Amino acid sequence: MSTPDLLYSEAEDDLRAAVRSLLADRCPPSAVLAEAEGHRPYDPALWRSLAAEMGTAGLLVPDKLGGQGATAREAAVVLEELGRAVAPVPYLSSAVLATTALLGCDTDEQHVARLLGALATGRAVGALALPLSTPPGGAAPPATVTARGDGALTGRVAAVAGAAGAEVLLVPAEGPDGYGLYAVETAALGAAGAPGATDTPGTAETPGAPDTAETPGAPAVPAVPGVTVEPLTPLDLTRPLAALHLTAAPARRLAGPDRARAAVGRALTAGAGLLASEQLGLAEWCLTETVRHTKERHQFGRPIGSFQALKHRMAGLWLELVSARAAARHAADALAADSPEVPVAVAVAQAYCARVAVHAAQECVQLHGGIGMTWEHPAHLYLKRAKSDEIALGTPGRHREALAGLVDLPAPAG
């Protein structure tokens, strides 16, 4: 068993600098606040720059399939920076969850390769049609959608991250041949007029909404019969959730029972492991911003950061961040190396990093005083993202329970 490499390579540092520069220019806190009050599922211009122009959407996809041929380590660096900016882009849902699920299918099949190419080049956005709270590990999550013999899907999936604005929906369903993974395309994925080539993300039919995008002058995006995406009101407005309703929706089967279960399980594991890096980036911003504020805010003629009690709180949080970085990097490195330690590394990372992110966001709000409680300050965005991430892809308690089973550490007898 190789020793985990927790350090960043020069290439990873360069990638971080590029992503951070883009987000600083295109995604400052004021822009995120404004986007949170809008009705778009994500910022299409920012997504095009990040996913297509920088190529980050294809980091996990091999070169021969149109991707960058990188690993989970590079994807983790991108997610750290997205967490620092609470960026309203579907990176986790499309470039990680949907892409990893497709990679678990037979990529030699033309249909699978075509979908992977569209996602890897940023021409389309994908979503894995499972509730965001679905944890990895164990048996494949039960399907709430049924498939007919011709592949048409019927059913409902609640709280799907990234479903609004996705052109490719990957739907686990029970069919005549058992469990399977199906693809529902809500828009044509041609190279020239592909979704993502304009500033308007493709959308499936939404109750009460017209079949055209809201942006004036934007081309109409056709809705698919039998597919309704019902936007929900999430706690975290920067990561929209939606309920997916399917009524005899046309679909194509990508994988059969065993392969479909493995692909979905692999996607959930990768998503949970890389989510820890987003939580790390979020916590880092909260600590950095809190330190900056306490240096500038004065009471009794001195910076409040010089008070011993606040020093202790921030020092304690810094120590938590150091441990969180080690846990998140271990998970990313294990995923990159396809190590047998992946389940343990992911469980440790999620059990620990989720709690650190919430604690950091709480401290950020509290130590900012009154301004931290206002809508105008971005601290509430970080607290909401942290709380949302805490239950995404399994709660810390669920991951601790999984870890206990993996390392054979039974709970004390009651």
Side-chain angles (χ1 to χ4, degrees):
M1 185 181 302
S2 60
T3 302
D5 181 5
L6 306 186
L7 301 178
Y8 297 98
S9 67
E10 183 178 351
E12 290 164 1
D13 286 336
D14 291 342
L15 175 62
R16 177 192 306 283
V19 174
R20 184 175 296 187
S21 176
L22 172 68
L23 295 176
D25 179 52
R26 305 279 293 277
C27 192
S30 58
V32 179
L33 285 167
E35 191 71 22
E37 295 179 317
H39 301 288
R40 297 186 300 180
Y42 60 89
D43 181 344
L46 174 62
W47 175 248
R48 185 175 62 248
S49 297
L50 178 72
E53 296 172 9
M54 293 188 65
T56 62
L59 287 175
L60 300 180
V61 180
D63 297 340
K64 65 179 182 179
L65 295 172
Q68 305 300 317
T71 69
R73 290 176 59 93
E74 289 78 14
V77 169
V78 174
L79 279 163
E80 281 185 40
E81 294 307 310
L82 295 178
R84 287 178 63 94
V86 286
V89 292
Y91 193 85
L92 179 69
S93 55
S94 181
V96 177
L97 289 171
T99 296
T100 306
L102 281 173
L103 287 169
C105 301
D106 185 359
T107 56
D108 289 332
E109 288 191 6
Q110 182 179 1
H111 185 62
V112 175
R114 182 176 65 87
L115 294 178
L116 264 175
L119 266 59
T121 56
R123 300 199 316 270
V125 172
L128 180 60
L130 287 172
L132 183 58
S133 60
T134 306
T144 58
V145 176
T146 57
R148 298 189 319 212
D150 61 357
L153 303 181
T154 299
R156 179 181 184 274
V157 188
V160 180
E167 291 87 20
V168 179
L169 300 170
L170 302 179
V171 186
E174 287 287 349
D177 298 322
Y179 192 88
L181 185 64
Y182 294 77
V184 176
E185 296 181 33
T186 65
L189 303 183
T198 69
D199 282 358
T200 304
T203 55
E205 182 183 355
T206 302
D211 287 346
T212 57
E214 293 182 3
T215 305
V221 179
V224 174
V227 179
T228 301
V229 177
E230 177 191 357
L232 305 176
T233 303
L235 173 64
D236 176 15
L237 297 176
T238 64
R239 178 166 284 153
L241 302 178
L244 177 62
H245 301 268
L246 302 171
T247 306
R252 183 161 183 170
R253 193 167 184 256
L254 301 178
D258 293 339
R259 191 156 201 164
R261 289 190 178 93
V264 172
R266 179 182 174 186
L268 293 173
T269 299
L274 293 177
L275 179 63
S277 292
E278 177 181 289
Q279 293 163 329
L280 170 64
L282 185 154
E284 282 188 318
W285 183 92
C286 290
L287 177 58
T288 301
E289 176 63 19
T290 302
V291 170
R292 183 201 62 78
H293 175 76
T294 57
K295 285 181 177 179
E296 296 177 356
R297 179 77 169 91
H298 284 66
Q299 282 187 349
F300 309 110
R302 57 188 289 196
I304 62 173
S306 65
F307 298 153
Q308 193 74 5
L310 300 193
K311 284 184 178 180
H312 285 170
R313 288 171 69 170
M314 288 183 283
L317 185 55
W318 181 83
L319 290 173
E320 291 182 16
L321 275 174
V322 172
S323 298
R325 180 177 298 281
R329 292 301 293 168
H330 183 206
D333 186 69
L335 287 165
D338 198 18
S339 165
E341 290 294 308
V342 163
V344 171
V346 169
V348 168
Q350 267 307 301
Y352 189 75
C353 294
R355 183 184 67 81
V356 172
V358 172
H359 182 211
Q362 289 173 335
E363 291 288 77
C364 183
V365 171
Q366 292 177 15
L367 296 184
H368 273 77
I371 188 64
M373 306 291 179
T374 65
W375 180 263
E376 288 74 16
H377 195 279
H380 67 93
L381 295 175
Y382 289 83
L383 179 58
K384 292 169 183 175
R385 172 68 71 90
K387 291 298 290 184
S388 175
D389 282 357
E390 188 179 28
I391 63 174
L393 300 169
T395 63
R398 170 66 178 76
H399 287 285
R400 284 194 294 269
E401 182 181 351
L403 180 62
L406 289 168
V407 300
D408 194 22
L409 185 65

mmCIF file of all heavy atoms in Angstrom, residues 61-89:
data_model
loop_
_atom_site.group_PDB
_atom_site.id
_atom_site.type_symbol
_atom_site.label_atom_id
_atom_site.label_comp_id
_atom_site.label_asym_id
_atom_site.label_seq_id
_atom_site.Cartn_x
_atom_site.Cartn_y
_atom_site.Cartn_z
ATOM 1 N N VAL A 61 -12.162 12.928 -17.035
ATOM 2 C CA VAL A 61 -12.434 12.167 -18.256
ATOM 3 C C VAL A 61 -11.135 11.950 -19.028
ATOM 4 O O VAL A 61 -10.365 12.889 -19.223
ATOM 5 C CB VAL A 61 -13.455 12.912 -19.143
ATOM 6 C CG1 VAL A 61 -13.752 12.132 -20.413
ATOM 7 C CG2 VAL A 61 -14.732 13.157 -18.359
ATOM 8 N N PRO A 62 -10.870 10.710 -19.488
ATOM 9 C CA PRO A 62 -9.645 10.446 -20.266
ATOM 10 C C PRO A 62 -9.562 11.281 -21.538
ATOM 11 O O PRO A 62 -10.577 11.699 -22.103
ATOM 12 C CB PRO A 62 -9.765 8.947 -20.601
ATOM 13 C CG PRO A 62 -10.687 8.390 -19.561
ATOM 14 C CD PRO A 62 -11.643 9.485 -19.235
ATOM 15 N N ASP A 63 -8.343 11.487 -22.008
ATOM 16 C CA ASP A 63 -8.112 12.285 -23.217
ATOM 17 C C ASP A 63 -8.891 11.743 -24.408
ATOM 18 O O ASP A 63 -9.474 12.510 -25.179
ATOM 19 C CB ASP A 63 -6.614 12.304 -23.569
ATOM 20 C CG ASP A 63 -5.776 12.969 -22.497
ATOM 21 O OD1 ASP A 63 -6.349 13.720 -21.699
ATOM 22 O OD2 ASP A 63 -4.556 12.743 -22.472
ATOM 23 N N LYS A 64 -8.889 10.431 -24.590
ATOM 24 C CA LYS A 64 -9.511 9.840 -25.774
ATOM 25 C C LYS A 64 -11.017 10.047 -25.823
ATOM 26 O O LYS A 64 -11.639 9.892 -26.868
ATOM 27 C CB LYS A 64 -9.202 8.346 -25.834
ATOM 28 C CG LYS A 64 -9.810 7.529 -24.704
ATOM 29 C CD LYS A 64 -9.489 6.054 -24.850
ATOM 30 C CE LYS A 64 -10.141 5.233 -23.731
ATOM 31 N NZ LYS A 64 -9.865 3.778 -23.876
ATOM 32 N N LEU A 65 -11.609 10.421 -24.673
ATOM 33 C CA LEU A 65 -13.049 10.660 -24.612
ATOM 34 C C LEU A 65 -13.376 12.150 -24.576
ATOM 35 O O LEU A 65 -14.508 12.530 -24.304
ATOM 36 C CB LEU A 65 -13.643 9.963 -23.390
ATOM 37 C CG LEU A 65 -13.568 8.429 -23.416
ATOM 38 C CD1 LEU A 65 -14.001 7.832 -22.079
ATOM 39 C CD2 LEU A 65 -14.416 7.861 -24.547
ATOM 40 N N GLY A 66 -12.381 12.975 -24.838
ATOM 41 C CA GLY A 66 -12.615 14.412 -24.911
ATOM 42 C C GLY A 66 -12.311 15.176 -23.649
ATOM 43 O O GLY A 66 -12.578 16.384 -23.576
ATOM 44 N N GLY A 67 -11.743 14.506 -22.638
ATOM 45 C CA GLY A 67 -11.453 15.169 -21.371
ATOM 46 C C GLY A 67 -9.999 15.574 -21.236
ATOM 47 O O GLY A 67 -9.233 15.580 -22.202
ATOM 48 N N GLN A 68 -9.607 15.898 -20.016
ATOM 49 C CA GLN A 68 -8.254 16.366 -19.735
ATOM 50 C C GLN A 68 -7.334 15.255 -19.248
ATOM 51 O O GLN A 68 -6.126 15.458 -19.139
ATOM 52 C CB GLN A 68 -8.297 17.486 -18.685
ATOM 53 C CG GLN A 68 -9.196 18.647 -19.055
ATOM 54 C CD GLN A 68 -8.783 19.313 -20.345
ATOM 55 O OE1 GLN A 68 -7.606 19.532 -20.571
ATOM 56 N NE2 GLN A 68 -9.750 19.620 -21.202
ATOM 57 N N GLY A 69 -7.896 14.096 -18.901
ATOM 58 C CA GLY A 69 -7.069 12.993 -18.447
ATOM 59 C C GLY A 69 -6.392 13.236 -17.122
ATOM 60 O O GLY A 69 -5.316 12.692 -16.852
ATOM 61 N N ALA A 70 -6.993 14.063 -16.268
ATOM 62 C CA ALA A 70 -6.415 14.336 -14.953
ATOM 63 C C ALA A 70 -7.021 13.363 -13.933
ATOM 64 O O ALA A 70 -7.551 12.309 -14.292
ATOM 65 C CB ALA A 70 -6.666 15.790 -14.560
ATOM 66 N N THR A 71 -6.962 13.715 -12.667
ATOM 67 C CA THR A 71 -7.425 12.810 -11.615
ATOM 68 C C THR A 71 -8.283 13.570 -10.600
ATOM 69 O O THR A 71 -8.500 14.778 -10.721
ATOM 70 C CB THR A 71 -6.237 12.181 -10.868
ATOM 71 O OG1 THR A 71 -5.577 13.204 -10.086
ATOM 72 C CG2 THR A 71 -5.245 11.547 -11.822
ATOM 73 N N ALA A 72 -8.706 12.828 -9.587
ATOM 74 C CA ALA A 72 -9.499 13.432 -8.522
ATOM 75 C C ALA A 72 -8.706 14.480 -7.746
ATOM 76 O O ALA A 72 -9.304 15.366 -7.128
ATOM 77 C CB ALA A 72 -10.003 12.346 -7.567
ATOM 78 N N ARG A 73 -7.399 14.412 -7.771
ATOM 79 C CA ARG A 73 -6.603 15.418 -7.063
ATOM 80 C C ARG A 73 -6.819 16.798 -7.668
ATOM 81 O O ARG A 73 -6.992 17.795 -6.952
ATOM 82 C CB ARG A 73 -5.116 15.045 -7.117
ATOM 83 C CG ARG A 73 -4.727 13.827 -6.284
ATOM 84 C CD ARG A 73 -3.253 13.486 -6.495
ATOM 85 N NE ARG A 73 -2.407 14.601 -6.127
ATOM 86 C CZ ARG A 73 -1.853 14.765 -4.923
ATOM 87 N NH1 ARG A 73 -2.078 13.882 -3.972
ATOM 88 N NH2 ARG A 73 -1.084 15.801 -4.674
ATOM 89 N N GLU A 74 -6.802 16.877 -9.003
ATOM 90 C CA GLU A 74 -7.025 18.159 -9.664
ATOM 91 C C GLU A 74 -8.468 18.628 -9.477
ATOM 92 O O GLU A 74 -8.725 19.817 -9.261
ATOM 93 C CB GLU A 74 -6.694 18.048 -11.154
ATOM 94 C CG GLU A 74 -5.213 17.913 -11.462
ATOM 95 C CD GLU A 74 -4.665 16.513 -11.236
ATOM 96 O OE1 GLU A 74 -5.469 15.570 -11.094
ATOM 97 O OE2 GLU A 74 -3.437 16.347 -11.203
ATOM 98 N N ALA A 75 -9.414 17.701 -9.567
ATOM 99 C CA ALA A 75 -10.814 18.072 -9.341
ATOM 100 C C ALA A 75 -11.014 18.593 -7.924
ATOM 101 O O ALA A 75 -11.814 19.515 -7.687
ATOM 102 C CB ALA A 75 -11.732 16.878 -9.605
ATOM 103 N N ALA A 76 -10.288 18.021 -6.971
ATOM 104 C CA ALA A 76 -10.387 18.480 -5.581
ATOM 105 C C ALA A 76 -9.901 19.917 -5.441
ATOM 106 O O ALA A 76 -10.481 20.710 -4.686
ATOM 107 C CB ALA A 76 -9.572 17.560 -4.675
ATOM 108 N N VAL A 77 -8.845 20.280 -6.177
ATOM 109 C CA VAL A 77 -8.342 21.660 -6.126
ATOM 110 C C VAL A 77 -9.406 22.623 -6.649
ATOM 111 O O VAL A 77 -9.640 23.696 -6.071
ATOM 112 C CB VAL A 77 -7.042 21.779 -6.946
ATOM 113 C CG1 VAL A 77 -6.648 23.241 -7.129
ATOM 114 C CG2 VAL A 77 -5.913 21.019 -6.263
ATOM 115 N N VAL A 78 -10.067 22.260 -7.748
ATOM 116 C CA VAL A 78 -11.135 23.100 -8.290
ATOM 117 C C VAL A 78 -12.252 23.260 -7.262
ATOM 118 O O VAL A 78 -12.753 24.363 -7.030
ATOM 119 C CB VAL A 78 -11.688 22.504 -9.599
ATOM 120 C CG1 VAL A 78 -12.895 23.304 -10.084
ATOM 121 C CG2 VAL A 78 -10.600 22.479 -10.669
ATOM 122 N N LEU A 79 -12.632 22.180 -6.614
ATOM 123 C CA LEU A 79 -13.718 22.240 -5.639
ATOM 124 C C LEU A 79 -13.332 23.056 -4.409
ATOM 125 O O LEU A 79 -14.183 23.713 -3.808
ATOM 126 C CB LEU A 79 -14.148 20.829 -5.237
ATOM 127 C CG LEU A 79 -15.095 20.173 -6.240
ATOM 128 C CD1 LEU A 79 -15.170 18.663 -6.032
ATOM 129 C CD2 LEU A 79 -16.492 20.778 -6.141
ATOM 130 N N GLU A 80 -12.065 23.026 -4.024
ATOM 131 C CA GLU A 80 -11.635 23.895 -2.921
ATOM 132 C C GLU A 80 -11.908 25.354 -3.260
ATOM 133 O O GLU A 80 -12.439 26.116 -2.438
ATOM 134 C CB GLU A 80 -10.140 23.703 -2.651
ATOM 135 C CG GLU A 80 -9.783 22.471 -1.846
ATOM 136 C CD GLU A 80 -8.297 22.441 -1.519
ATOM 137 O OE1 GLU A 80 -7.729 23.509 -1.211
ATOM 138 O OE2 GLU A 80 -7.707 21.348 -1.592
ATOM 139 N N GLU A 81 -11.543 25.743 -4.479
ATOM 140 C CA GLU A 81 -11.737 27.133 -4.874
ATOM 141 C C GLU A 81 -13.210 27.475 -5.051
ATOM 142 O O GLU A 81 -13.645 28.585 -4.723
ATOM 143 C CB GLU A 81 -10.958 27.430 -6.158
ATOM 144 C CG GLU A 81 -9.453 27.341 -5.985
ATOM 145 C CD GLU A 81 -8.963 28.206 -4.828
ATOM 146 O OE1 GLU A 81 -9.329 29.395 -4.782
ATOM 147 O OE2 GLU A 81 -8.229 27.692 -3.962
ATOM 148 N N LEU A 82 -13.998 26.541 -5.547
ATOM 149 C CA LEU A 82 -15.437 26.772 -5.667
ATOM 150 C C LEU A 82 -16.073 26.906 -4.292
ATOM 151 O O LEU A 82 -17.010 27.687 -4.095
ATOM 152 C CB LEU A 82 -16.094 25.637 -6.455
ATOM 153 C CG LEU A 82 -15.664 25.517 -7.922
ATOM 154 C CD1 LEU A 82 -16.343 24.314 -8.570
ATOM 155 C CD2 LEU A 82 -15.978 26.788 -8.699
ATOM 156 N N GLY A 83 -15.555 26.153 -3.323
ATOM 157 C CA GLY A 83 -16.051 26.284 -1.956
ATOM 158 C C GLY A 83 -15.686 27.632 -1.354
ATOM 159 O O GLY A 83 -16.489 28.240 -0.653
ATOM 160 N N ARG A 84 -14.480 28.113 -1.644
ATOM 161 C CA ARG A 84 -14.053 29.424 -1.141
ATOM 162 C C ARG A 84 -14.943 30.539 -1.681
ATOM 163 O O ARG A 84 -15.115 31.564 -1.039
ATOM 164 C CB ARG A 84 -12.611 29.703 -1.558
ATOM 165 C CG ARG A 84 -11.560 28.910 -0.816
ATOM 166 C CD ARG A 84 -10.175 29.236 -1.353
ATOM 167 N NE ARG A 84 -9.853 30.638 -1.120
ATOM 168 C CZ ARG A 84 -9.186 31.085 -0.059
ATOM 169 N NH1 ARG A 84 -8.789 30.241 0.864
ATOM 170 N NH2 ARG A 84 -8.934 32.363 0.080
ATOM 171 N N ALA A 85 -15.493 30.345 -2.871
ATOM 172 C CA ALA A 85 -16.308 31.391 -3.494
ATOM 173 C C ALA A 85 -17.800 31.092 -3.435
ATOM 174 O O ALA A 85 -18.588 31.899 -3.932
ATOM 175 C CB ALA A 85 -15.889 31.561 -4.961
ATOM 176 N N VAL A 86 -18.202 29.959 -2.827
ATOM 177 C CA VAL A 86 -19.585 29.444 -2.912
ATOM 178 C C VAL A 86 -20.155 29.719 -4.308
ATOM 179 O O VAL A 86 -21.242 30.266 -4.467
ATOM 180 C CB VAL A 86 -20.521 30.009 -1.807
ATOM 181 C CG1 VAL A 86 -20.232 29.403 -0.480
ATOM 182 C CG2 VAL A 86 -20.488 31.529 -1.726
ATOM 183 N N ALA A 87 -19.391 29.334 -5.310
ATOM 184 C CA ALA A 87 -19.730 29.649 -6.702
ATOM 185 C C ALA A 87 -20.997 28.920 -7.136
ATOM 186 O O ALA A 87 -21.135 27.716 -6.918
ATOM 187 C CB ALA A 87 -18.574 29.264 -7.615
ATOM 188 N N PRO A 88 -21.918 29.633 -7.778
ATOM 189 C CA PRO A 88 -23.170 29.012 -8.239
ATOM 190 C C PRO A 88 -22.997 28.316 -9.581
ATOM 191 O O PRO A 88 -23.510 28.746 -10.612
ATOM 192 C CB PRO A 88 -24.118 30.216 -8.337
ATOM 193 C CG PRO A 88 -23.227 31.367 -8.678
ATOM 194 C CD PRO A 88 -21.914 31.098 -7.991
ATOM 195 N N VAL A 89 -22.226 27.224 -9.589
ATOM 196 C CA VAL A 89 -22.010 26.439 -10.804
ATOM 197 C C VAL A 89 -22.224 24.957 -10.471
ATOM 198 O O VAL A 89 -21.992 24.526 -9.336
ATOM 199 C CB VAL A 89 -20.589 26.655 -11.378
ATOM 200 C CG1 VAL A 89 -20.426 28.080 -11.906
ATOM 201 C CG2 VAL A 89 -19.525 26.352 -10.334
#
